Amino acid sequence: MITEPVLTIVIPCYNEEEVLPKTIRQLRELREQLIAERLISNKSTLLFIDDGSRDATWTMIYKASLRYSEVKGVKLARNAGHQNALLAGLFSAKTRSDCIVSIDADLQDDVSVIREFVKKFHEGYEIVYGVRNKRDADTFFKRHTAQGFYKLMKAMGAQLVYNHADYRLMSRRAVEELERFEEANLFLRGIVPLLGFRSTTVSYDRKERLAGETKYPLKKMIAFALDGITSFSITPIRLISLVGFVSFFISIFFGAYFLFLKFTGHTQTGWTSLITSIWLLGGLQLIAFGLIGEYIGKIYKETKRRPRYIIDLDLFNLPMPGSFFGEEVKMTDQKKRV
Ligand code: UDP
Ligand code: MG
């Protein structure tokens, strides 16, 4: 007999106290519906990752986990950033799930699409990408910077799924394979397509944040884009070499021209071109140094092999007597773990 798959919904939360009660309610409702429709097992859970929030986010997750057995939480010891919080969630969830959906806490992404994700999983897809149809709800600025980012990444040679953020379903196997990418600068949206399992997309309309403010200010957005480019592509370095070649040929041409001026006795007129080329080359060199520095920075981080996140408390993997997994845990065992 084929049983329904166990689904875990992973939700990274950073200072989300305003929106969390609504999120918990909506996702619990959806879970109930999916169980009633026999799409997922009743062992399916919601896993909230508190990414070092400074407000009441963790208290809310903890209280909800005491009240509802399907709500679980993991608390990171400090703010590790959205991508790392997501990884913490995926890797904690994988041992007890057949498939995992990741979604933002603000529910800008339509939760009912999870039903489509699961249906696709039943059809045999191992990775299902949620793709935004339109971004009317986003500000003009966010929309254009985001689209520019996708285009830039494509030009740089990274295979991104257009208009897909981190709203997706992954099978347990896909997450296990993802874990084998041990790089510290893990750029999820670029890596997941590299896994290569059978995949498909589901499109939906992106809504406005239910409450609270964006946790991605311009500074974080730029850092994210830079991270994506430099951890995925060596095109910038190639561009620099190209610029180097072009300026080399131009300087040969100008060199010949200056020699011609020298022999015809008009040397003083060379001052303008000289000063411009000094500035131009100086600028180019600085850009080149900056870019090489960026890559060296990456190498530096990789060689340190720091852990990407440190878990403080893990209610998800803490075996409890009488938990729904029915594991027999001796008290001594439990004490050791706590
Ligand atoms: N987030 C996080 N850690 C951070 C920043 C954000 O876990 O350092 C979470 C946040 O709680 C939300 C998701 O990442 O669930 C996406 O953030 P947000 O909705 O603010 O980004 P936007 O939709 O504006 O791009
Ligand atoms: Mg959002």
Side-chain angles (χ1 to χ4, degrees), residues 94-324:
K94 82 175 188 301
T95 45
R96 295 184 181 187
S97 331
D98 296 310
C99 55
I100 303 171
V101 166
S102 48
I103 186 169
D104 288 352
D106 56 5
L107 298 193
Q108 283 188 287
D109 309 301
D110 191 353
V111 288
S112 61
V113 176
I114 295 178
R115 180 178 288 107
E116 307 306 316
F117 283 3
V118 175
K119 282 183 184 163
K120 292 282 180 198
F121 180 71
H122 279 274
E123 286 171 27
Y125 291 99
E126 299 217 27
I127 301 172
V128 188
Y129 301 99
V131 172
R132 295 162 187 171
N133 258 338
K134 46 177 190 188
R135 307 178 68 120
D136 296 354
D138 280 339
T139 58
F140 177 85
F141 177 74
K142 179 106 191 179
R143 196 159 63 226
H144 285 266
T145 46
Q147 272 167 4
F149 169 67
Y150 286 108
K151 290 197 180 124
L152 186 68
M153 286 299 288
K154 198 167 178 194
M156 296 287 173
Q159 293 181 337
L160 292 196
V161 178
Y162 190 67
N163 261 345
H164 158 71
D166 288 304
Y167 187 27
R168 71 174 85 79
L169 175 143
M170 291 176 82
S171 68
R172 174 185 181 148
R173 195 161 67 115
V175 175
E176 275 168 359
E177 291 305 317
L178 179 73
E179 207 171 11
R180 292 181 44 231
F181 285 76
E182 288 182 358
E183 59 196 82
N185 298 294
L186 195 88
F187 185 65
L188 260 176
R189 287 174 213 183
I191 298 273
V192 176
L194 290 184
L195 293 176
F197 290 118
R198 198 165 168 229
S199 61
T200 185
T201 57
V202 172
S203 49
Y204 64 94
D205 294 336
R206 182 159 156 101
K207 292 181 277 191
E208 277 181 45
R209 239 178 187 277
L210 280 185
E213 278 166 10
T214 176
K215 307 296 178 298
Y216 262 97
L218 185 63
K219 209 173 112 193
K220 271 194 193 171
M221 267 165 68
I222 293 173
F224 181 67
L226 250 181
D227 241 26
I229 292 165
T230 49
S231 57
F232 247 85
S233 144
I234 55 160
T235 313
I237 277 192
R238 297 215 173 113
L239 278 180
I240 289 296
S241 329
L242 187 74
V243 172
F245 275 116
V246 170
S247 52
F248 175 69
F249 284 111
I250 290 177
S251 60
I252 287 179
F253 173 77
F254 270 103
Y257 175 63
F258 294 147
L259 273 178
F260 169 76
L261 286 185
K262 184 177 159 67
F263 288 120
T264 49
H266 300 284
T267 343
Q268 303 93 316
T269 51
W271 186 82
T272 321
S273 45
L274 200 66
I275 201 74
T276 2
S277 47
I278 287 172
W279 278 96
L280 192 79
L281 282 177
L284 281 178
Q285 280 170 343
L286 282 181
I287 296 171
F289 279 140
L291 258 160
I292 292 168
E294 186 72 34
Y295 282 92
I296 293 177
K298 288 267 138 103
I299 297 169
Y300 173 68
K301 277 192 197 163
E302 289 300 341
T303 49
K304 283 199 285 204
R305 308 206 71 81
R306 282 182 178 163
R308 282 176 295 226
Y309 54 80
I310 300 154
I311 290 176
D312 191 356
L313 287 169
D314 186 347
L315 300 183
F316 191 76
N317 286 313
L318 184 73
M320 300 220 188
S323 72
F324 56 71

